[in-house]
Structures are given as C-alpha cells and as structure tokens.
Amino acid sequence: MDILDMGAVAQSEALAAGSLTAVALMEASLARIEAVNGAVNAVVSLREREALLAEARAADVTPRRGWLHGIPMAIKDLSDAKGLPTTMGSPLFTGTVAQKDSVFVGRLRAAGAIFIGKTNTPEFGLGSHTFNPVHGATCNPYDLSKSAGGSSGGAAAALACGMVSVADGSDMMGSLRNPAGWNNVYGMRPSWGTVPGEPEGDMFLHQLATSGPMARSPRDLAALLDTMTGADPRQPFGISPAATLPQIDGQGPQVRIGWLGDWGGAFPYAEGIAALSEAALGQFADLGHVVSDIAAPFNAEKMWEAWITLRSFAVASGLGAIFENEAKRGHLKEAAQWEIRRGLEMTAMQVQRASVIRSDWYRRAAALFDTVDVLVLPSAQLWPFAVEEVHPVEIAGRSMDTYHRWMQVVVPAGLIGLPVVNVPAGFGENGLPGGLQLIGRHGSDAMLLRVAQHWHEATRWPQKRPPALG
C-alpha cells in the first residue's frame, strides 16, 4: 500500500514500529503536493522543503512525543500555528505571521505533528465556498471546475488527494460538514465545548462555532478528536472527558436512525440529493440499524431567523472593528459587510428572542432523542457548483434570499451545538460525491464515531473511489 493511502493512525503505528520513517512520509507528502496542488489549490503558505525535511529527520531520531509524531499536517488558515501566516483569506492580514499556536493547534504540536503549511479557506471563513483574494479558489478534486465547499474546503480537498492523512476543520454553518461531503471524506463537528476556542474576547455569548477533526476514516477522526479535545481552564463551558474516546472498531452499535428528509418541504434539494441519501439509509438498514422517517420536529423558518440573528451578532462581534474603520471596510467582501451591518443594527431583545427560539429547539431535540439515537440529513442541499460562482442563487427552482440560505440544512445541529459526523454517502449520476450528517444528542460523540466506523467498514468510499488526479 502507498504510504499516503494509509490512514493517520496506520502511519503512526508504522512510524512507531520503525517500518516507516518521518523523512519518507514527508518526501512522499511533498511529492503529492507538488503533483496535484497546483490544480486543486488546497494547501497554501507551504513551508520550504529543506526546513520540513530537517524537522522530519529530527523526528526520526528523537523520542516520540505522541501519536502524531512525524506526521505532516496543514492547519486551516483561520487558526494560528506559530511561525506560519494566518491570512484568514483577507488582504488585510496578508503577511501576518502567528506568534503563538491556537489552543488546539498547540495540542497537535505537542503530540508531534509537523506543520507543513495552511489549508485554504474563504475570507474570514464566511460562505461555504473556498475562495479568497489572497490565495484564490480551491477546486474540487473530483471535478476541477467545481467548488470544494467551505469553509474547510482546503482541508477536505487536501485529504481527498492524499496530501495529508488527517486535518483540522472548523464549523459554524456546515464549514467542515459540507466540504467533507463534497470531497468524499469524513468530518466531525463535535459537541459544542469539546474543542476549546481561544481565551480572548467574549467567551460567554457566542456558542455557534467549533473546531473539529477531518479524515478519511472515523478511526482517524477519533484519534485526532482525542488530541484536540478537553477543557481549557481559562475558558467557561468546556467539556473534559473522564477518559479518552473508546476504541473505534467495525462492530458498531445497532441504533435507531431518524431520517428528517426535506424537513416537511422546508429544504429544497437538487435532483439526486434525496435519492442518494435514501439509498445510503437503505444501506444503514442492511447493516442492522433501524431506520424510520421523522416528521419535521420544529418550525424551520423560526429556526432560520434565530440562526441568522445569532450568526450576524457573532460575526459583527468579531469583525465589527474592521468594518467601522472606513479605510479597511472596502477590503471586506460583500457578504461579510452584510453580516456585520445586520449584527451592528440588532437590539439586545432581538438577540434574546433568537436565543429563546434556540432554547425551544434544544428542548424539542432532547425529547426527540428519547425516540431515536441518530438524526440524519444530507450534508448539503445541492451538488458542488461551478468554482466561478460566488454562491448558489436557487435550488430546485426556489430562490435563495441570502448568500448562505442554500446551506440551511446544516442549521438544526449547528444552532444548538449538537455533535455531527459527516459520512460519505456515495456518488450521484454526475460523478460528484455527497454526504450525510449523522446527528446525535449533546455528548454522544463516541457513539456517532462507532456508527460511522461501522458504516466505513461496509462502504470505504474514500478508499474505493479516490479522485483521479495526476
């Protein structure tokens, strides 16, 4: 087996056994990047070859620091890795070099990862399509004329191409679920509070976004999540598991799966999305899981209004100072300016009402999980679109009234911080991949990983149909 086709855990085991060297793995990774990254544009700010090989040589002769010892990783360009640029896809931050690691990045470094560069992202992570004026667009490796999704599009495409074996992503509005689905890999949005953010600014009000792992198998997701997870004593709300995640194997639990369909007609789907999802659900049933249809459990429009209120409130909090600087405002893309303006114009009571709706939905979802173990929705409502498009303006004849309405299907889990594992669901007649969101109650991360690994052992989509590049 090509060492780049191995999973991260398998690479780690080979490195520990001495059957693989960090130098050989680095050389192979850099060769793959050289061969395909020019077309895909997933890895950006790549470090110099000789510096990376020097780190790999050092890894080969020093005691192992952790399971990631000697494994190349590229960090999403929204997070800080000391010594590497953090542009966030914005010309306002071109040339900005991180002076420290983000909290979870420091944990990856401590486990022995070698950071080779960054993965591409939309400007400030806004929009589920990875393009920006600093690094350009990331193309889908299954069709270079299509989007890789976003905002973790660079990470997902790099994984699909074998440039890295494991990657970090982040997710507010499907930012690692959508690109995982569109690139035939796995992505996990963990229960909110599992992976800490940064101990800066407000740490109480904005409970929407989280970082999480991406990989070509749930086994690797679990290993990376185990490294990223754990409360930071400088921050509230963190979850510190009493033990590491249980061993993930192919003997997953038999669970009750609830298919939410199109949420009672609220979510338009492009032709083929529902069919792909339902075919995958049939496979879940064949594996012994109990699959049933679930009627729309909550008013989708009320949920959407709560979502865009809280999202704009959060975006304005993070980017408001840039917007209010007239010299810098023009460097923000139109979608960012729209979000910030909405957030700045909100009253406190508008935010309160949105949070009450969010609370109502959480209570309803908690009751729903008394009858099912896993809720399922597609990862996206349409197939990867043309890379030149800014965002879709309609789905199945229904107009989209915002730049992100086309991703409404990811809101139910994201709004209330539920854990989600995206699993590859196969390919449409157009040859493009799609995925499913496996959604669990808060804290059920390990159960979702077991179910996903059971699925993986039966399907192995990333290994069965990798992209044909080079």
Side-chain angles (χ1 to χ4, degrees), residues 8 14 26-27 62 71 80 111 126 167 176 216 218 220 275 298 315-316 383 406 441:
M26 182 63 72
E27 288 177 334
T62 55
I71 293 180
D80 287 334
L126 298 177
L176 61 72
R216 292 192 296 271
D220 286 353
F298 199 80
V315 172
W383 304 101
W406 64 278
R441 70 164 72 238

Side-chain angles (χ1 to χ4, degrees), residues 10 29 141 192 211 230 256 259 271 279 292 301 325 385 401 415-416:
S29 300
W192 196 87
S211 295
R256 301 164 298 171
W259 166 232
E271 184 177 356
S292 60
E301 197 60 27
N325 184 322
F385 52 84
D401 57 358
L415 181 62
I416 54 176

